[in-house]
Amino acid sequence: PPHILVTTPESLYVLLGSPRSRAMLASVRAVIVDEIHAVAASKRGSHLALSLERLDALTAAHARERGEPHRLARIGLSATQKPIDEIARFLVGAANTEQGVADCAIVDICYAKQRDLALELPPTPLSAVMSNDQWEQVYGRVAELVLQHRTTLVFVNTRRMAERASRHLAERLGKEAVAAHHGSLAKETRLDAEQRLKRGELKVLVATASLELGLDIGDVDLVCQLGSPRSIAAFLQRAGR
C-alpha cells in the first residue's frame, strides 16, 4: 500500500466496499481530515463519519489478528473550526465521547487576525434581481479597488460568475491583468494563474471555492466577495487570504 493516500469521503466509501482495497486500508495508522469544517455540518460529513467507523473496525480487526495494539489516530485540521469542542466530537465519534466531551487532545492556538472589513452596495436601490446597470456599477467599483491595491482576490459563488466577472474586469483593466480560477479549468491553467498572481503579474484573480483553501499564492492586499458567501466559515476562509 502507499505511504500516504489522498482521497475524498466518497472515494473512501468506495474503497471500503472493495476486498482488495480493504486489505490495503487494514494497516492504516492515521486519518487526517483536512478542512474538517467543510464537511462537519453536511450529509458528506455524516457519510464520512460512518466510513471512519468502518475503517476503525477494519484496522482493529487487522491489529487483533496480528496481536498488535489498535492505534488508528484521527486528526482534524482547519483554520475555522467553531465550536471546536463540537467538531472534536464529530471527529472521534460517539464511542470516544463521554458526557459530551470528546476523548482527544484539542490544539487551539487562538490566533485571530486583525481584519479591515467593509460592506459596499450599488448606489441604486437593490431588488430581487440585479439589473445590468447595477452590475456595471459593481464591476466599476471593483476595478477602482483593484487599481488601489497591488494584488486582489475576487471571490464568487459559481464558475459561470467567475468567467463573467473576469471578462468584465478584463474590459476595464486589460486582459493581462485579470484571470479566472475555478474547478472547470485545466489544472495547468489554474496553476499558471496562481503563479502569475504570486509573481505579481496579475492585478486581480477571480475565483470560486477552488482558491479558498491552502494554496500558496503569495501576498494578497485585498479580498472582495461578490454576493453572499453563504456561510461564516467560507467567508473567514476567503477573508483570511
Side-chain angles (χ1 to χ4, degrees), residues 5-17 25 31-55 90-91 213:
L5 173 65
V6 183
T7 186
T8 62
E10 293 78 13
S11 294
L12 176 60
Y13 170 79
V14 173
L15 290 171
L16 287 167
L25 294 172
V31 177
I32 299 173
V33 185
D34 195 18
E35 304 295 353
I36 190 171
H37 74 277
V39 297
S42 66
K43 292 180 180 179
R44 291 188 76 205
S46 302
H47 199 229
L48 175 61
L50 290 172
S51 293
L52 289 177
E53 293 299 326
R54 291 178 65 191
L55 181 62
F90 162 76
L91 176 66
L213 307 179

Side-chain angles (χ1 to χ4, degrees), residues 20-218:
R20 284 188 63 184
S21 298
R22 280 201 303 274
M24 176 188 73
L25 294 172
S27 59
V28 167
R29 290 290 176 263
V31 177
I32 299 173
V33 185
D34 195 18
E35 304 295 353
I36 190 171
H37 74 277
V39 297
S42 66
K43 292 180 180 179
R44 291 188 76 205
S46 302
H47 199 229
L48 175 61
L50 290 172
S51 293
L52 289 177
E53 293 299 326
R54 291 178 65 191
L55 181 62
D56 195 276
L58 176 65
T59 56
H62 179 75
R64 284 195 301 270
E65 290 175 4
R66 300 169 64 89
E68 299 174 350
H70 176 227
R71 58 180 196 281
L72 177 64
R74 301 187 192 184
I75 303 165
L77 302 175
S78 174
T80 52
Q81 300 176 94
K82 300 290 181 180
I84 196 167
D85 294 334
E86 190 169 335
I87 296 290
R89 291 196 297 272
F90 162 76
L91 176 66
V92 303
N96 296 302
T97 301
E98 294 184 7
Q99 298 180 345
V101 179
D103 181 19
C104 68
I106 296 177
V107 181
D108 185 2
I109 63 173
C110 299
Y111 174 68
K113 289 183 178 180
Q114 289 294 111
R115 295 186 176 91
D116 179 10
L117 303 177
L119 178 65
E120 295 208 15
L121 298 172
T124 52
L126 289 171
S127 58
V129 178
M130 285 180 62
S131 66
N132 290 334
D133 288 341
Q134 286 176 320
W135 275 117
E136 290 295 317
Q137 294 166 356
V138 169
Y139 295 134
R141 178 55 180 154
V142 172
E144 287 178 18
L145 292 169
V146 169
L147 292 174
Q148 295 170 14
H149 296 83
R150 188 176 65 87
T151 53
T152 302
L153 281 181
V154 175
F155 280 106
V156 295
N157 293 328
T158 65
R159 298 168 183 179
R160 178 182 178 184
M161 185 63 193
E163 292 289 344
R164 188 170 70 177
S166 61
R167 176 171 60 84
H168 283 279
L169 290 175
E171 291 173 355
R172 291 163 170 79
L173 301 168
K175 291 184 178 179
E176 295 302 315
V178 184
H181 190 290
H182 55 76
S184 291
L185 293 172
K187 178 182 176 181
E188 295 76 16
T189 303
R190 296 199 305 270
L191 182 60
D192 178 65
E194 295 162 17
Q195 295 303 313
R196 287 170 63 199
L197 184 71
K198 191 174 181 179
R199 293 193 298 264
E201 297 172 6
L202 281 180
K203 290 288 293 180
V204 56
L205 184 59
V206 184
T208 60
S210 61
L211 207 65
E212 192 176 292
L213 307 179
L215 297 177
D216 181 14
I217 54 172

